[in-house]
Amino acid sequence: MLNQTPLWKLLVLIFIVGICALYATPNLYGEDYAVQISAGRNATVDDTLLSKVTETLTTESIETKSIVLDNEQILVRLTNSDSQLLARETLERALGDNYYVAMNLAPDTPDWLAALGGEPMKLGLDLRGGVHFLMEVDMNSAINKSFEDMVSDFKSALREEGIRYRTVRQVEGGVEIFFRDQDTLDKAEFFLRNRNRDLVFTEKNDLRIVVNMSEQKLAETRDYAVKQNITIIRNRVNQLGVAEPSVQKQGVDRIAVQLPGIQDTARAKEILNATATLEFRSVDLDHDVRDAVAGRVPAGSELVLNQDGQPQLLKKKIILTGNHIIDANSSADEYGIPQVNISLDSKGGSKMSQFTKDSIGKPMATVFIEYKTTGERDANEKLIFEAKREVISIATIQARLGSSFRITGLDSPQEAHNLALLLRAGALIAPIQIVEERTVGPSLGKENIELGKQAIIWGFVAVLIFMLVYYKAFGLVADLALTLNLVMIVGIMSMIPGATLSLPGMAGIVLTVGMAVDANVLIFERIREELREGRSPQQAIHHGYDSAFSTILDANITTFIAGLILFAVGTGPIKGFSITLMIGIATSMFTAIFITRAVVNAWCGGKPLKTLSI
């Protein structure tokens, strides 16, 4: 019998539409004004802090909707913006500088829906308001650090191979290696060239080899510095509680950071400007620290203060930098003493093994370095940074270490926990600095949302009326498909983790509303043609859907390809537009071809019809 939809297909269609409708539902609940509390470097978030926060807000008579500890952060939901501002100021005074107190907006999704993974659509900066930062990476520091690593690698490699050298030192733009005779130089050059094919070796007349980076190696070093910094910035942004931050490379040495919904731009700048890295260094036991404090600092060493302000004499030579750390976790050893378990990558493990094989029983220091800009620029117009070093741990090397080892000698479980967090967060390859800042106010974002909604609603209503007037009862079917199409777009946008709705994205939805009925127009016009040629209503419906399918498919595939290209080569707003366009094309095909046919079959299928309301 013509025009019958199998039960299994009908159930599949209902299931797909139902899932999309379910995940579109969180967008109906809106958001709460909220304050989020996260730990700084010398603090931790636990039940004790939760009790203190609750007590502080109760004492100040600040009304809250809920206070929850989750994922090492405390989220306080409040009733209005005034309460939010008052809560932020109160908690900052009560908790001090060791905690980050940031204002944001938290989705008011019911618990049962959140348990199913339901979340509202992520809104872009132009819709939600927020802040945009453009950050510059200090490439000179990144390249100098690579040369420092090169010096250490060359020394270790030549020693292992049994090749004697006079000295290895870093110079402007490269590394110099001096030898005592020509035969040793030739042997070393052959050995190092084979190990480092991306470096340029130049032999000089004074038994010296100058090593420089190739253009490809320089480009890779710069690219790695930016990518590593992007990863660390994303970890820091998590402290701000931003629903969908955007951290992207821009140009050769810059990073664009967008924080939609963030209301506390000063706190955002404070966290992002905390440019820091880590080093493992050996303690100088050959000289008296008191002599160094008196001004007689030995060559090859330097004084570094610890967290208590006490001076420590460390060797300048860096054993390892924090960018080799893969993971770090705090725990207790077999005697219940706090410790931090560290995992390194293969290169870091090799470096640590080489150093510690001759250093058993000696102390090793973990140094925290924070970079701050002086506000000045060099001859190349690059920002100048100065470093502040602080010893955060000194541990004794008990055995030869490799890719996995532990740091002991810590005073408390909290100190171990904080050190693990710091190590796990990663280390910046090079200092960064905010060079541009733009803020979009929440009121402007709301105005953009309202204007976008009006455009979608008016376009939607106009198409509904046209289809109803022109195609009568079949127009009503098309209107149902158009409504479900919008629901599915919202549901899919809410389900995709990386999808963000921007103002151009709303333009894509408006365009999709108009395009969504194209397939229905093709089908309905084909049905009309079949009726004019004398086919029965049931045959006209059957042939109309079958004949129009290939035309609909071809037209939508070409548009989808165009959207895919926009997504691949575009940035920011262009990507937002292309995402909604591609999702809209897919859902409009689904609703026009499958949903409307199922509805028409349920309405007309298998019935003796003389005419069609089309």
Side-chain angles (χ1 to χ4, degrees):
M1 187 178 293
L2 286 176
N3 304 323
Q4 293 291 309
T5 304
L7 180 61
W8 68 268
K9 186 180 287 187
L10 193 59
L11 292 176
V12 169
L13 295 176
I14 293 172
F15 175 76
I16 293 172
V17 174
I19 288 292
C20 291
L22 176 67
Y23 284 94
T25 305
N27 295 279
L28 302 175
Y29 289 95
E31 295 174 314
D32 288 329
Y33 293 96
V35 170
Q36 181 174 289
I37 304 162
S38 53
R41 187 161 62 88
N42 299 315
T44 184
V45 176
D46 52 19
D47 290 329
T48 303
L49 182 66
L50 180 66
S51 300
K52 183 177 181 179
V53 169
T54 305
E55 182 181 347
T56 300
L57 294 176
T58 303
T59 302
E60 295 294 326
S61 302
I62 299 174
E63 186 179 353
T64 62
K65 295 180 71 173
S66 66
I67 305 176
V68 179
L69 170 61
D70 184 37
N71 195 27
E72 297 181 349
Q73 293 178 334
I74 294 176
L75 184 67
V76 182
R77 294 176 181 267
L78 299 128
T79 54
N80 53 58
S81 58
D82 292 337
S83 298
Q84 181 191 37
L85 184 60
L86 181 59
R88 196 278 302 270
E89 293 173 350
T90 302
L91 291 172
E92 280 185 338
R93 288 195 303 270
L95 302 181
D97 296 333
N98 289 329
Y99 294 92
Y100 299 116
V101 184
M103 298 192 301
N104 58 28
L105 298 171
D108 191 21
T109 307
D111 293 339
W112 67 270
L113 198 50
L116 296 173
E119 294 181 352
M121 277 190 298
K122 283 76 176 178
L123 300 180
L125 198 68
D126 49 3
L127 295 181
R128 199 175 187 190
V131 63
H132 166 93
F133 295 118
L134 186 63
M135 313 186 80
E136 183 177 282
V137 181
D138 183 8
M139 286 301 175
N140 291 333
S141 295
I143 293 171
N144 285 336
K145 186 167 287 188
S146 294
F147 284 135
E148 290 173 6
D149 291 343
M150 205 182 294
V151 169
S152 177
D153 290 344
F154 286 166
K155 287 180 178 179
S156 299
L158 292 172
R159 278 198 298 266
E160 288 178 9
E161 192 67 13
I163 300 175
R164 299 178 65 84
Y165 58 88
R166 286 175 58 195
T167 184
V168 181
R169 69 184 186 187
Q170 181 182 344
V171 294
E172 183 69 28
V175 173
E176 289 183 339
I177 313 175
F178 292 86
F179 298 91
R180 298 184 185 278
D181 57 76
Q182 187 65 41
D183 290 341
T184 306
L185 184 149
D186 293 339
K187 183 179 178 182
E189 184 176 0
F190 177 78
F191 170 67
L192 292 175
R193 277 184 186 274
N194 288 332
R195 280 175 57 98
N196 305 277
R197 297 188 180 275
D198 52 359
L199 300 178
V200 178
F201 293 82
T202 306
E203 185 178 334
K204 302 295 183 179
N205 294 329
D206 53 350
L207 298 178
R208 173 170 56 107
I209 297 175
V210 177
V211 187
N212 303 103
M213 293 185 188
S214 65
E215 288 300 321
Q216 180 181 353
K217 178 65 174 177
L218 277 171
E220 289 176 356
T221 302
R222 294 188 182 103
D223 186 58
Y224 178 69
V226 174
K227 286 181 178 178
Q228 177 71 5
N229 283 354
I230 284 174
T231 301
I232 305 310
I233 288 171
R234 284 189 177 129
N235 290 337
R236 291 180 179 178
V237 165
N238 290 337
Q239 299 180 50
L240 295 168
V242 182
E244 192 62 26
S246 171
V247 184
Q248 296 179 332
K249 181 180 178 181
Q250 184 168 313
V252 176
D253 61 353
R254 293 191 169 186
I255 300 170
V257 182
Q258 287 192 352
L259 307 176
I262 193 70
Q263 296 175 295
D264 193 348
T265 56
R267 180 61 76 187
K269 289 176 68 174
E270 181 180 340
I271 292 175
L272 294 176
N273 265 332
T275 307
T277 185
L278 295 162
E279 294 173 350
F280 293 99
R281 291 161 62 174
S282 56
V283 178
D284 188 347
L285 301 176
D286 301 326
H287 302 89
D288 194 329
V289 68
R290 289 172 296 184
D291 292 337
V293 171
R296 297 184 294 275
V297 181
S301 298
E302 69 173 323
L303 275 174
V304 181
L305 301 179
N306 63 15
Q307 291 172 302
D308 298 325
Q310 300 299 314
Q312 303 287 338
L313 189 60
L314 306 181
K315 295 287 184 68
K316 287 184 179 179
K317 179 182 176 182
I318 299 169
I319 304 165
L320 197 71
T321 53
N323 56 295
H324 292 290
I325 296 173
I326 298 173
D327 194 18
N329 292 287
S330 60
S331 64
D333 63 12
E334 57 272 21
Y335 303 107
I337 299 174
Q339 64 179 17
V340 175
N341 304 296
I342 297 175
S343 298
L344 304 175
D345 59 20
S346 58
K347 188 175 181 180
S350 176
K351 287 185 177 182
M352 184 62 73
S353 177
Q354 288 298 320
F355 169 76
T356 55
K357 70 177 182 180
D358 300 321
S359 303
I360 296 173
K362 297 179 180 179
M364 179 177 68
T366 304
V367 182
F368 176 80
I369 306 114
E370 185 173 12
Y371 294 92
K372 290 189 179 294
T373 179
T374 62
E376 300 176 356
R377 292 181 178 267
D378 61 16
N380 297 319
E381 287 300 312
K382 299 296 182 182
L383 288 166
I384 299 174
F385 291 83
E386 57 183 17
K388 176 187 175 184
R389 290 174 169 81
E390 179 183 24
V391 176
I392 56 176
S393 169
I394 293 182
T396 302
I397 300 170
Q398 304 291 349
R400 184 174 182 178
L401 307 177
S403 295
S404 299
F405 63 96
R406 60 184 181 176
I407 294 178
T408 56
L410 302 169
D411 294 333
S412 66
Q414 181 175 335
E415 184 182 354
H417 173 77
N418 293 339
L419 178 58
L421 283 177
L422 185 63
L423 296 172
R424 192 165 60 243
L428 289 168
I429 295 294
I432 54 176
Q433 176 67 25
I434 295 173
V435 295
E436 179 184 303
E437 176 187 346
R438 294 200 310 269
T439 302
V440 179
S443 58
L444 180 58
K446 287 181 180 178
E447 182 180 350
N448 289 337
I449 290 176
E450 286 303 316
L451 293 174
K453 280 182 179 178
Q454 287 181 28
I456 293 173
I457 291 170
W458 284 112
F460 181 71
V461 170
V463 173
L464 286 183
I465 294 173
F466 172 81
M467 293 301 290
L468 188 60
V469 171
Y470 199 72
Y471 290 109
K472 301 180 181 178
F474 273 73
L476 192 61
V477 175
D479 290 346
L480 173 64
L482 183 59
T483 305
L484 294 178
N485 181 53
L486 270 180
V487 172
M488 292 184 71
I489 290 174
V490 174
I492 293 172
M493 287 285 290
S494 301
M495 282 189 279
I496 298 177
T500 302
L501 182 66
S502 60
L503 198 57
M506 296 187 82
I509 294 177
V510 176
L511 180 61
T512 303
V513 167
M515 294 171 58
V517 293
D518 284 354
N520 292 122
V521 170
L522 288 172
I523 293 169
F524 296 166
E525 289 300 323
R526 186 55 62 92
I527 291 174
R528 282 178 163 182
E529 288 180 11
E530 297 292 335
L531 289 172
R532 283 194 291 267
E533 290 177 5
R535 293 188 186 273
S536 68
Q538 293 292 354
Q539 289 176 327
I541 293 171
H542 179 74
H543 287 288
Y545 274 97
D546 287 352
S547 301
F549 179 77
S550 60
T551 306
I552 295 169
L553 191 63
D554 292 343
N556 283 281
I557 283 178
T558 53
T559 310
F560 191 88
I561 291 172
L564 201 60
I565 294 171
L566 283 175
F567 180 80
V569 302
T571 57
I574 304 298
K575 281 184 182 287
F577 174 79
S578 63
I579 287 174
T580 52
L581 180 64
M582 289 189 292
I583 292 173
I585 289 169
T587 55
S588 65
M589 285 185 63
F590 176 80
T591 54
I593 295 171
F594 298 105
I595 298 294
T596 61
R597 189 161 193 176
V599 173
V600 170
N601 287 350
W603 168 36
C604 302
K607 298 177 182 178
L609 300 174
K610 293 183 180 181
T611 59
L612 289 178
S613 179
I614 195 171

